[in-house]
Amino acid sequence: MARKNFSCSSTLFLVLLAVGSFFATYNLLTMAVHYKGANSLGLSNDPIVEMPDNMKRARGSKALFHVALTATDAPYSKWQCRIMYYWYKKTKDKAGSDMGKFTRILHSGEPDNLMEEIPTFVVDPLPSGLDRGYIVLNRPWAFVQWLERATIEEEYILMAEPDHIFVNPLPNLARGEFPAGYPFFYIKPADNEKIIRKYFPKENGPVTNVDPIGNSPVIIRKDLLEKIAPTWMNVSLRMKDDPETDKTFGWVLEMYAYAVASALHGVQHILRKDFMLQPPWDFETGNRFIIHYTYGCDYNMKGELTYGKIGEWRFDKRSHLRGPPPRNLPLPPPGVPESVVTLVKMVNEATANIPNWDTTE
């Protein structure tokens, strides 16, 4: 495959990383209690968790970002992409938005029936068996191909996911060479230093240089992502090939790989709590920008959360693996957080307005 030249503090390590990786050959974890405790108080007054020194963009400047997400041709992925694209179109031109064009990066290797509905760029999946059933490993490889082959007009890129909904107009949160990312409570490089050091040697700096992020949501300058993406892919493959790393990181392995790859290139992210909310643990949409509906929302008819137990009322994307949810889903009972109510209302609006919704395959 083609390579892009890149520099970092340890060139030899990265070369070995790139070569070695080619010889290497979402069950959701139950982290709800921790998440609830960490987020029950909501956002702090300052939504910026960490702002690197010496970085500012002039007020009033407008730097558009290209919205890009990776997807498969499975029905489960398709209906989420359709809802995501609907809300992109509704939000793109509102005041405060810096959104540019949109691309669904389809890593099935073949066009599908959404090509005319959603701007799509088809790339190849990893060779058969290389992902070992962990389909998310296709994400970095998809970005590598797209960045090499596509014409991308915008200077910045938002890496998004199918289960993202734009709840407020999203400005460019990045600042020059400092991308913006969302701090995930369960990405803990310092707590996993022994494993992180397999891929981020001591000569590259302290483990705290590895940000507590995944690749999404991230707004990043295109030239930075072009450098990081091949390393992200190679680190992902090496991590998956290492039994200790694979067992420890599980379904978030590829997220750790992006964080490590960024650090190897000396890239530090601005950590924005307001980038995203995740119902049911975040109770209000407020001024946040993206709803991420990765968690199931289960409640009894008193409006009480029954997480881990199927509720009398529920919304869970995994209930619709083989096809789209029906139109006009019932709203939650009284007492359920505003974020969950807003999520269901936004899903209902999208499905009511997307043509041929029930035929998504």
Side-chain angles (χ1 to χ4, degrees):
M1 56 169 277
R3 294 276 180 213
K4 292 188 183 295
N5 294 326
F6 53 84
S7 59
C8 70
S9 58
S10 179
T11 304
L12 177 60
F13 178 77
L14 285 177
V15 170
L16 292 174
L17 185 66
V19 174
S21 65
F22 285 102
F23 296 95
T25 315
Y26 251 102
N27 290 336
L28 213 62
L29 297 180
T30 304
M31 295 182 269
V33 174
H34 184 113
Y35 191 95
K36 183 178 180 181
N39 291 275
S40 60
L41 297 179
L43 288 174
S44 62
N45 290 332
D46 183 2
I48 301 175
V49 178
E50 182 177 346
M51 179 74 79
D53 295 333
N54 303 320
M55 42 70 46
K56 287 186 178 179
R57 186 168 68 232
R59 288 185 178 274
S61 64
K62 190 173 181 69
L64 298 181
F65 56 83
H66 194 107
V67 179
L69 70 156
T70 59
T72 73
D73 59 359
Y76 178 64
S77 177
K78 286 181 178 179
W79 69 255
Q80 294 175 57
C81 289
R82 298 182 82 190
I83 291 174
M84 201 272 198
Y85 185 58
Y86 172 87
W87 283 105
Y88 157 81
K89 290 189 294 183
K90 284 209 68 173
T91 310
K92 175 182 180 293
D93 295 324
K94 290 185 177 180
S97 168
D98 287 331
M99 294 181 186
K101 294 182 178 180
F102 184 103
T103 299
R104 178 182 65 133
I105 308 171
L106 182 63
H107 55 76
S108 62
E110 303 268 346
D112 66 4
N113 62 344
L114 296 183
M115 302 294 291
E116 295 185 6
E117 178 179 337
I118 304 175
T120 299
F121 192 92
V122 180
V123 298
D124 294 324
L126 288 169
S128 179
L130 194 58
D131 64 12
R132 300 187 186 181
Y134 181 55
I135 197 168
V136 185
L137 279 185
N138 285 279
R139 183 177 293 158
W141 174 223
F143 270 106
V144 168
Q145 296 174 81
W146 178 63
L147 289 164
E148 289 180 345
R149 292 161 43 193
T151 300
I152 306 164
E153 297 176 0
E154 296 85 353
E155 183 183 1
Y156 290 83
I157 292 168
L158 164 66
M159 291 187 284
E161 296 183 12
D163 60 353
H164 286 177
I165 291 177
F166 295 107
V167 69
N168 282 306
L170 178 60
N172 189 343
L173 304 176
R175 296 294 182 269
E177 63 185 19
F178 295 96
Y182 177 79
F184 290 91
F185 76 92
Y186 49 79
I187 302 296
K188 300 179 179 180
D191 290 356
N192 294 283
E193 181 168 5
K194 178 176 176 288
I195 292 177
I196 293 294
R197 285 302 186 195
K198 294 182 179 183
Y199 315 96
F200 188 73
K202 289 184 178 180
E203 55 264 32
N204 286 90
V207 171
T208 52
N209 286 354
V210 180
D211 292 326
I213 59 170
N215 84 289
S216 176
V218 163
I219 300 176
I220 185 170
R221 212 169 62 196
K222 181 172 60 179
D223 63 307
L224 293 177
L225 186 56
E226 287 172 340
K227 295 176 182 178
I228 292 170
T231 310
W232 171 28
M233 181 189 72
N234 295 335
V235 173
S236 296
L237 292 172
R238 286 194 62 214
M239 285 184 170
K240 188 63 179 175
D241 196 50
D242 180 72
E244 181 184 22
T245 306
D246 189 23
K247 180 179 179 180
T248 301
F249 290 164
W251 68 276
V252 297
L253 180 149
E254 167 268 340
M255 297 171 70
Y256 271 102
Y258 174 80
V260 168
S262 299
L264 285 169
H265 286 277
V267 174
Q268 182 183 5
H269 294 70
I270 305 165
L271 306 180
R272 298 283 304 230
K273 288 182 180 179
D274 60 343
F275 210 152
M276 189 168 73
L277 68 144
Q278 301 186 98
W281 310 112
D282 294 309
F283 299 155
E284 298 180 356
T285 53
N287 293 322
R288 283 176 272 194
F289 302 107
I290 293 172
I291 296 179
H292 183 209
Y293 55 98
T294 189
Y295 292 99
C297 300
D298 288 276
Y299 292 87
N300 61 29
M301 299 312 291
K302 297 178 181 179
E304 298 168 337
L305 184 66
T306 62
Y307 194 80
K309 177 182 177 183
I310 295 178
E312 297 173 87
W313 180 94
R314 78 180 326 226
F315 175 77
D316 188 338
K317 64 179 185 177
R318 294 163 197 81
S319 299
H320 309 285
L321 295 174
R322 298 183 179 180
R327 286 174 163 152
N328 197 27
L329 293 170
L331 294 178
V336 170
E338 175 269 333
S339 63
V340 178
V341 177
T342 297
L343 167 60
V344 177
K345 286 182 175 179
M346 294 184 81
V347 168
N348 281 345
E349 179 180 332
T351 61
N353 289 283
I354 296 173
N356 304 313
W357 173 253
D358 294 330
T359 63
T360 301
E361 296 179 356

